[in-house]
Structure formats: structure tokens, C-alpha cells
Amino acid sequence: MHVPHATTRDADLAPVVRRMEALGPLTSDLKRRLIEFGPRSERVTPGAVLYYEREPQMRPRFILTGWAARQRILADGRRQIFSLLLPGDGVGVSLRPGAAAETTVVALTPMVVMDAGVLPGQGAQDACFDYGDAMQTAARLDESRLLDQILRLGRQTAYERTAHLILEVHERLDFIGRAQAGQFEWPISQDTLADILGLSAVHTNRTLQRLRQERLVALRAGRIQILDMARLSAIAEYRPAGSATADPYPCRR
Amino acid sequence: MHVPHATTRDADLAPVVRRMEALGPLTSDLKRRLIEFGPRSERVTPGAVLYYEREPQMRPRFILTGWAARQRILADGRRQIFSLLLPGDGVGVSLRPGAAAETTVVALTPMVVMDAGVLPGQGAQDACFDYGDAMQTAARLDESRLLDQILRLGRQTAYERTAHLILEVHERLDFIGRAQAGQFEWPISQDTLADILGLSAVHTNRTLQRLRQERLVALRAGRIQILDMARLSAIAEYRPAGSATADPYPCRR
DNA sequence: CGGCATGTTGATGCTGATCAAGTTCTGTGG
DNA sequence: CCACAGAACTTGATCAGCATCAACATGCCG
């Protein structure tokens, strides 16, 4: 499941560093960790669990490659995905360490993740280090996306919801330089997409067909292309997380 | 709209202090503020806006009395409430100060709120003070409730959803000593409830009727009584935010 | 006592779920 | 390179949950 010591080629630090530096100044502590741990990445296969909910110890990691999902499953099997975790995102990286995970994190695709936290000989508590303003901003974006998810599920139609999610993923991938002219990787099955959007798989399929038919997106071979950004944004009533900038009021401690 | 200097009798600090102390140790800074600002509370009338989304400056406050809601409204008038704010909760009290509010906060009932933040002559940045572990825990509970809300909206039926929300409110009010034997205040209209649950007002009405008819709850005159906690919990698949305890791994800075 | 918010009820229809059967794609081993 | 099996996707038919519309009842407050 976890294969240690992926090749250095896999350990592409670009998304993490790029994302973090764009979000705000990094502390030297985090920089040091990135350099020190960057090469020590591990592979994770699809379906593997990175964290179980209620598991107290959270080894902080960063995603170098691949997608994951935070989810919970009801007794009768209904699954809800709370949010997607994309390259450059932290997993189990909390400003409130020791927070029981609350959610299970599952790999949706093959991944390469970087262990960013516990130096040899350190305990769980020590995983709490100062991440700097970049991490503050990242946490804020996280919460903002949870709010978007609530709005989608509570008050948007399947059509609007799907458009909205596509735009969110585009914005996030574009931010780390992984989208070109509205085109980007889209490695998730319609089954998984349904569990994000709170829909059935069948209806998800039909909704995607409608988006294609109306020439809003093109979708094939694990990639998606946004064909009409303006119209898509209008349908979804999408507001970019413009707050993706550095913290205007950094917290002095 | 905002009437300063409510009588001292209104400025009932019990919920705030009780809640915070139960959540974890308070810093002397926060304690001082509670004592200093406690008597200086203000009234807010239903429908009044405590914060507009995107408004940069967030005056931190605590709710002494009354309920509020974090919400957003779509262009065509659809409204979604993200979460309820109850007595003892902070409003605009962020561990990540300067965070654009992201959401509008509206009073649902008459309220008494306590200004907890900016001392005369201080700027917005200074509203960032050390709230202590209690606030860390409170923030964690907040996020946990957002996740619950996503699960409700995404994968639960109207019936399950409603049961789940009632249990959440009960747990929160019970925690601050405002529930007696499963009975507690329930001051929100079915219209408002619909906007929390992502339902129409009519269907919300019918769902409540079903809960009453099946002897799960009794509802009248602005109060609700849970009649069968075990069955209600089973229906909602409710898991108490047991994490309502102090942080097991406090963050040392 | 009148007016407005809130709650209730019935009728109808649409959105999206479910069931069931294909079809296409992908990766794997022969 | 082909054959195959499983996953992913597609399609049609039917059904249920919830929305919508419209009217009416009730409660609350000035």
C-alpha cells in the first residue's frame, strides 16, 4: 500500500512550494522541512486510506501528485465526500493539531505524498510547528470551500452543482500551474463525482452529458476542457476564492 | 438596530463563560476581556445583520442571548444557512483574523451580544489576540459542524436531516445548560429551518409533522421537546461531537 | 380588532433516485 | 498482439421525494 522511497523524479516539489509561496510567506521551519523531507516521498495506491476518522495521530503530509478525498460513510453505505485534496494540498496538516481527523481521507488516484512532519524521535505533539501565514491562508481557503460545498448541496440543482465544482477544481489546479487554457486533469469516476455532489451516479452521468451537449465542457481520457468559462460561471454563480491572496491582516503573535 | 448599553441584567455572561471554561483553559487575556466587556453588551433585533460577507473588519463578539445564522443568498433569492450561532458562541471570532467573513451573519431572534474585541484606540489587527485552547476547541467544533451539515444536505433525507439538526441543537444548548430533560428553546420559523436544511418551507412543515406524529418530538410555543432520544438518534445516525472535550494535544507556541 | 407573519393543507409536476440492461474502455495475462 | 475480465460509462423505464402553487387557518402584535 505504502511504498517508501519513490524515485526523486516523482518527488516533484513544485506544486507544494509553488502553492505555499503564492499563498504567503513561509517560515524557515517549513522551508527546511520541505527541503529535508521532499525527497522522502511515498506512493499511495487508489483506494488506500491516508487517515481514518477518529484516529488521533495525524502525520502531516503534502500531496505531490494525485487526488484524494475527505469522506464519511453512513451505516447503509451512502457515502459523502466533503472535499477534494489536490496536489500541493496538505493532508492532516492542521493549525489545530490533535484534532481528531473527523473524516477519513482516501486516495482517489495513484498518489505521491511527502511526509512533512514528525522528525525522527519526535512525538505527535511536536507535529505542531509554526507553518506561517501561508498555512493560515490555506486553512481559510479550506473552510471557504466547505461553505461552497454546503451551498452547492443545499440550494443548487445538479446542473449548477456540477458546473460549480468543475470551476472550483479548475481554479485550484490553475493556481498550482496545472491547467492550460481551461484544460486540466480529471481523474475521477462518475461514481466518485456523484458522492461529491450528493447525486446518484446515473444522474451525474446525465448531468455531465448535458454540460457537454451544451458545449460548456469537453471531457475525455481523464481530462476536462472548459469551453465557455463565462457561461459556466454564470450558471454556477461561481465566485472565485479571490481571497486566495496573502492574509491582509497577518496575525502577530 | 444596535442599541448600546443594555442593562446589566441582560448581560448574562453565564453561557459564554460556562461554554468556554468547559471547552478548555482560558487565557487571562480572554478572561480579562470577558470581565471588562461583559457589562457592555448591545441588543440586536431579528433580521439585523451582524456582519456582511466580504466585509474585512470583524469586530469579535460573543452571543449572550438569542440565535443567529451564517448565510449566503443566491442571485435569484435562494438562501442557504451554513450554521446556527447560539448563546455562548463567538461571532467574527476567528483564529484566522482578517479572514473576510465569507458569510453574512443575521440575527434570527432578538439578541444580546457582547463586544469582546477591540479596545478603544486599537485597529483591526489587534483584534487578533490569544484566545487560548478553549477557542481552539471551539473552532474545531465549528468545522465539525460544517462537515455534519454537508453530510446532512448531501446524503440524508428530509426526515433524517431534520432529526439530525434537532439533535445538534440539543447537544449545543445542553452543553451551556439551556436544555432540561430534552426540552429547549426553538425560536426559528419553518421558513428559516427550511433554509438550514436545504428544503422548501412546505416540505419542512410536513417533515416536522411526521416527527411529531411518530412521537419523536413535541413542538409548541417556541420550545421543542425530544420525546425519544434513542430513536431520534438512530434515525439521524447522530454522533455527538464527543470531541467537545479539551484539546488532548494543545499547541505549544 | 385588524393586519401580517407563520403555520397548515391539498393538488400537481419536476428533479433526481432506482432498477436493469447494455456498451465501451482499460488493464492484464496468454 | 489479442482475448478477456472488470471497471467505468451509457441508456431507457419507472418511481418517489420533494418543489411549487394556491388557498386557507392560526397566531401574534400593535
Side-chain angles (χ1 to χ4, degrees):
Chain A
M1 192 185 277
H2 290 208
V3 181
H5 289 282
T7 69
T8 307
R9 209 186 107 268
D10 287 323
D12 181 10
L13 285 177
V16 176
V17 173
R18 183 158 180 169
R19 183 170 132 91
M20 288 300 141
E21 300 234 284
L23 286 174
L26 296 175
T27 60
S28 57
D29 181 32
L30 183 51
K31 264 188 200 142
R32 182 173 58 77
R33 277 162 197 269
L34 285 174
I35 290 158
E36 186 167 343
F37 288 99
R40 294 226 324 228
S41 57
E42 59 182 345
R43 290 162 189 265
V44 181
T45 59
V49 171
L50 281 85
Y51 292 104
Y52 281 108
E53 44 188 315
R54 300 287 177 191
E55 182 178 288
Q57 137 260 21
M58 311 247 299
R59 210 147 43 95
R61 294 186 269 197
F62 286 98
I63 300 174
L64 303 183
T65 306
W67 293 24
R70 298 178 69 190
Q71 66 174 37
R72 204 177 291 162
I73 296 181
L74 291 172
D76 62 0
R78 282 174 290 181
R79 173 171 83 145
Q80 180 63 48
I81 291 177
F82 299 108
S83 63
L84 288 173
L85 302 175
L86 307 182
D89 286 343
V91 191
V93 175
S94 179
L95 295 170
R96 306 184 285 276
E102 303 283 356
T103 56
T104 296
V105 177
V106 178
L108 297 176
T109 70
M111 302 179 72
V112 179
V113 301
M114 180 190 94
D115 201 305
V118 186
L119 290 157
Q122 286 188 326
Q125 300 89 316
D126 303 302
C128 170
F129 50 88
D130 185 355
Y131 290 104
D133 288 339
M135 294 306 302
Q136 299 269 353
T137 306
R140 196 148 65 228
L141 285 174
D142 265 4
E143 186 187 315
S144 171
R145 274 184 230 113
L146 290 184
L147 296 176
D148 280 350
Q149 172 76 333
I150 289 172
L151 194 65
R152 278 193 295 250
L153 295 174
R155 287 300 184 206
Q156 291 196 298
T157 66
Y159 185 60
E160 295 165 341
R161 246 180 257 187
T162 310
H164 197 285
L165 182 77
I166 290 169
L167 288 166
E168 177 191 309
V169 172
H170 173 256
E171 184 184 340
R172 290 170 66 182
L173 289 182
D174 193 40
F175 190 74
I176 57 168
R178 291 232 182 164
Q180 304 86 31
Q183 188 183 132
F184 49 98
E185 55 177 331
W186 188 261
I188 56 178
S189 70
Q190 295 181 0
D191 249 315
T192 301
L193 185 57
D195 287 334
I196 301 171
L197 299 175
L199 300 170
S200 70
V202 171
H203 198 69
T204 300
N205 178 296
R206 293 187 167 122
T207 305
L208 286 175
Q209 281 180 58
R210 190 173 155 206
L211 287 170
R212 278 184 288 199
Q213 186 184 312
E214 296 183 356
R215 308 258 171 262
L216 291 164
V217 305
L219 190 52
R220 45 167 262 288
R223 294 190 69 81
I224 192 171
Q225 162 90 55
I226 296 177
L227 297 174
D228 191 335
M229 181 75 75
R231 212 144 50 88
L232 203 63
S233 300
I235 288 164
E237 210 166 307
Y238 186 76
R239 36 196 268 185
S243 28
T245 58
D247 193 337
Y249 301 107
C251 184
R252 304 276 155 251
R253 276 181 288 234
Chain B
M1 194 184 277
H2 289 209
V3 181
H5 289 281
T7 70
T8 308
R9 208 186 108 270
D10 288 323
D12 180 11
L13 285 176
V16 176
V17 173
R18 183 159 179 168
R19 184 171 131 90
M20 288 300 141
E21 300 234 286
L23 286 174
L26 296 174
T27 60
S28 57
D29 182 32
L30 183 51
K31 263 186 200 144
R32 181 173 59 75
R33 277 161 199 269
L34 286 173
I35 290 159
E36 187 167 344
F37 288 100
R40 293 228 322 231
S41 57
E42 60 182 345
R43 289 162 189 267
V44 181
T45 59
V49 172
L50 281 85
Y51 292 104
Y52 281 107
E53 45 190 311
R54 302 286 178 187
E55 182 178 288
Q57 137 258 24
M58 312 245 300
R59 210 148 42 96
R61 294 186 270 196
F62 285 98
I63 300 174
L64 302 183
T65 305
W67 293 23
R70 298 178 68 192
Q71 67 175 35
R72 205 176 292 160
I73 296 181
L74 291 173
D76 62 1
R78 282 175 289 181
R79 171 171 81 147
Q80 180 62 48
I81 291 177
F82 299 109
S83 63
L84 288 173
L85 302 174
L86 306 182
D89 286 342
V91 191
V93 175
S94 180
L95 296 170
R96 306 182 285 276
E102 304 283 356
T103 56
T104 295
V105 177
V106 178
L108 298 176
T109 70
M111 302 179 72
V112 179
V113 301
M114 179 190 95
D115 200 304
V118 187
L119 291 158
Q122 286 187 324
Q125 300 88 315
D126 303 302
C128 169
F129 50 87
D130 184 356
Y131 290 105
D133 289 339
M135 294 307 302
Q136 298 270 352
T137 306
R140 197 146 65 227
L141 284 174
D142 264 4
E143 185 186 317
S144 172
R145 274 185 230 112
L146 290 184
L147 297 176
D148 280 351
Q149 172 78 331
I150 289 172
L151 194 65
R152 278 194 295 249
L153 296 174
R155 287 302 185 205
Q156 292 196 298
T157 65
Y159 185 60
E160 296 165 340
R161 243 180 260 188
T162 310
H164 197 285
L165 182 77
I166 291 169
L167 288 166
E168 178 191 307
V169 172
H170 172 256
E171 185 184 339
R172 292 169 65 182
L173 289 181
D174 192 41
F175 190 75
I176 58 167
R178 291 231 181 162
Q180 304 85 31
Q183 186 182 133
F184 49 98
E185 56 177 327
W186 188 260
I188 56 179
S189 70
Q190 295 181 359
D191 247 313
T192 302
L193 185 57
D195 287 335
I196 301 171
L197 298 175
L199 299 169
S200 71
V202 171
H203 199 69
T204 300
N205 178 295
R206 292 186 167 124
T207 304
L208 285 175
Q209 281 180 57
R210 191 175 154 204
L211 288 170
R212 278 185 288 200
Q213 185 183 313
E214 297 182 355
R215 307 259 171 262
L216 291 164
V217 306
L219 191 52
R220 46 168 261 290
R223 293 189 70 78
I224 192 170
Q225 161 92 55
I226 296 178
L227 298 175
D228 191 336
M229 181 74 75
R231 210 144 52 89
L232 202 63
S233 299
I235 288 164
E237 211 166 307
Y238 186 74
R239 38 196 267 186
S243 30
T245 58
D247 193 336
Y249 302 108
C251 184
R252 306 275 157 253
R253 277 181 291 234

